[in-house]
Amino acid sequence: MESEIKQEETVDKTKINFLPNYPFEHQSILGFYNFEQYLCLVCRGNKPTQFNEYFEVDILRDLYALRNNHFCTSCKSNSILKIQLNALQHLEHVIDLNGFNNMFFILGSKQHFGVVKVKEKQTNRVYLEEMGIPKNSQVLDINFSPQGCGFFPLMLHSNNPRHRLIEKNSIAFYPTEEQEDIPELPLGVNCQSKKLAILVQWVQEMNDISDMNLLNAIHNFIDNNQIEFIMNCNRAIEIVVGEICFNEFRKDGKKDEVESFLTSGATYGYQIKYLINLICKANSLIQIDKDILNKANTLRKLRNNIAHEGKLKGNNLLSHKEKVEYLAVTILITSILKYINNKL
Ligand SMILES: [Zn+2]
């Protein structure tokens, strides 16, 4: 009797199961992070890959390869290094599209998706592990797509509605009642059972501090939190620039002396404007395009306005176009910088 009660207590009556026959890893991006037969843009004849159909994500995959030491199996390098300004332009376009917030792919995020049959007039809960999402992963984004039928899932929150609740590694929602203005149903959809497609984007725990700042910058971009956006973009770049300078000068100098030189002598402004390309030259590496360095330097100045005055000059706000440009330059330059750092 006692064990029966105990068992009953642990059964989650709100739990709903995913329908079979739905892939949990999004079909269009399966294999996105497999670089065994990777060809860079030029070596594949400037042709799109099968992933590009998904909001033109090829550029994010090429940059992910560059920043994570996956080289082209043909040229043993990555042609993006030779077409930096074109890559920047293309990246701006893809950030502007930003289908399903796929910019997070640059940090190795994955999108898993499943379909459930919704139970009406009750809380419904799905477990992330059942979607193949490991425990301790960080959920970045959730997308609900009700399959017609005039309902929408309302996500549950705690007593304090400021925070979205991902409790017990699960997502809980309550389906709204049918509304009067039910949109016309697509052919083939019937409302006998209400179905909901759930897309969850997630990433494994991160250790790289520059990556963590880039992750926050992408969140800030989506949420239009402009002050933090500038700070995080600048930090994501400054951290790798500092690491490169330290690693280079450490070859001939003592740790303490190099640290002091970089914090009180050749500080970040000099590093980004002069030292980085000198280091590339000295190590026979491709240099970073001047226009890209100039944009990173502009970010540094904006960061200084915020750090010293708490706001952008004249209390201005960034336009959408400027936000796209700054995020693109941050993603591109950190990818090239990580490549350089790996080569030193
Ligand atoms: Zn190649």
Side-chain angles (χ1 to χ4, degrees):
M1 176 75 179
E2 211 173 275
S3 68
E4 261 173 46
I5 292 170
K6 209 162 188 189
Q7 205 178 1
E8 194 145 303
E9 273 174 358
T10 55
V11 171
D12 179 357
K13 288 181 179 156
T14 64
K15 180 177 183 294
I16 47 170
N17 295 321
F18 286 97
L19 298 174
N21 307 325
Y22 288 97
F24 292 127
E25 188 163 357
H26 202 286
Q27 258 176 337
S28 10
I29 56 163
L30 274 174
F32 185 88
Y33 298 109
N34 182 346
F35 294 97
E36 269 171 36
Q37 294 176 9
Y38 173 66
L39 289 175
C40 72
L41 184 64
V42 169
C43 292
R44 62 175 185 264
N46 290 300
K47 290 199 179 86
T49 72
Q50 78 262 33
F51 308 108
N52 211 44
E53 285 171 22
Y54 189 73
F55 301 103
E56 304 181 32
V57 291
D58 269 350
I59 182 76
L60 292 171
R61 185 165 183 259
D62 291 326
L63 287 170
Y64 180 90
L66 180 68
R67 62 195 283 133
N68 288 290
N69 260 340
H70 300 293
F71 296 112
C72 171
T73 49
S74 174
C75 70
K76 315 292 176 207
S77 179
N78 192 319
S79 49
I80 279 195
L81 293 166
K82 292 182 194 151
I83 47 157
Q84 298 175 16
L85 285 181
N86 282 349
L88 183 66
Q89 220 177 7
H90 190 182
L91 188 56
E92 284 174 6
H93 166 69
V94 171
I95 290 173
D96 198 29
L97 279 178
N98 191 22
F100 290 96
N101 289 328
N102 59 20
M103 286 178 291
F104 290 117
F105 289 175
I106 194 66
L107 295 163
S109 70
K110 289 188 164 188
Q111 289 181 343
H112 282 202
F113 123 108
V115 177
V116 289
K117 200 164 126 184
V118 172
K119 290 183 188 166
E120 290 180 65
K121 294 180 183 166
Q122 70 157 71
T123 296
N124 290 241
R125 186 180 291 279
V126 294
Y127 285 83
L128 300 184
E129 264 184 294
E130 292 191 0
M131 299 180 87
I133 300 174
K135 267 186 186 167
N136 305 324
S137 51
Q138 197 180 339
V139 172
L140 304 172
D141 210 29
I142 298 169
N143 201 284
F144 291 130
S145 301
Q147 317 275 292
C149 307
F151 80 100
F152 202 83
L154 301 180
M155 217 170 138
L156 295 195
H157 53 68
S158 65
N159 288 9
N160 180 341
R162 186 160 177 252
H163 300 289
R164 193 173 59 188
L165 193 64
I166 296 187
E167 199 188 31
K168 298 185 256 177
N169 215 21
S170 65
I171 298 168
F173 62 88
Y174 189 94
T176 55
E177 296 288 313
E178 280 192 9
Q179 287 148 15
E180 276 172 29
D181 53 342
I182 300 172
E184 214 173 297
L185 290 174
L187 277 177
V189 173
N190 69 62
C191 276
Q192 277 164 359
S193 66
K194 294 183 172 179
K195 287 183 188 163
L196 176 70
I198 302 172
L199 183 73
V200 177
Q201 189 168 189
W202 59 276
V203 74
Q204 298 271 19
E205 219 174 300
M206 285 183 199
N207 300 314
D208 183 283
I209 301 177
S210 168
D211 282 355
M212 283 153 73
N213 279 280
L214 177 56
L215 176 75
N216 286 333
I218 296 174
H219 279 302
N220 302 150
F221 175 91
I222 296 165
D223 300 338
N224 198 24
N225 182 347
Q226 302 207 346
I227 298 289
E228 287 305 316
F229 172 67
I230 296 285
M231 299 305 275
N232 279 308
C233 284
N234 184 75
R235 271 196 298 265
I237 303 169
E238 182 172 341
I239 287 164
V240 202
V241 169
E243 279 175 17
I244 291 173
C245 293
F246 180 80
N247 290 338
E248 176 67 7
F249 296 121
R250 183 74 178 87
K251 289 176 185 169
D252 302 310
K254 286 186 185 154
K255 186 173 177 279
D256 293 354
E257 284 171 7
V258 174
E259 272 171 357
S260 145
F261 170 63
L262 294 173
T263 48
S264 51
T267 51
Y268 175 56
Y270 296 102
Q271 294 169 18
I272 190 84
K273 278 189 278 183
Y274 310 110
L275 290 186
I276 277 297
N277 269 348
L278 283 175
I279 292 172
C280 291
K281 219 172 171 181
N283 288 278
S284 308
L285 294 170
I286 203 150
Q287 296 187 34
I288 302 179
D289 190 285
K290 273 264 173 291
D291 283 354
I292 292 172
L293 287 176
N294 284 342
K295 282 175 196 259
N297 194 39
T298 307
L299 259 175
R300 182 187 67 84
K301 290 181 192 162
L302 294 177
R303 174 265 169 208
N304 283 349
N305 289 146
I306 295 167
H308 302 306
E309 294 162 41
K311 59 185 183 183
L312 290 170
K313 224 174 198 134
N315 224 356
N316 283 335
L317 285 179
L318 302 177
S319 65
H320 176 71
K321 189 169 174 284
E322 285 171 316
K323 275 173 49 186
V324 168
E325 277 174 20
Y326 290 132
L327 186 58
V329 88
T330 305
I331 290 176
L332 179 69
I333 201 171
T334 53
S335 302
I336 301 174
L337 288 166
K338 277 170 176 280
Y339 159 82
I340 293 168
N341 203 15
N342 286 328
K343 287 279 177 192
L344 290 183

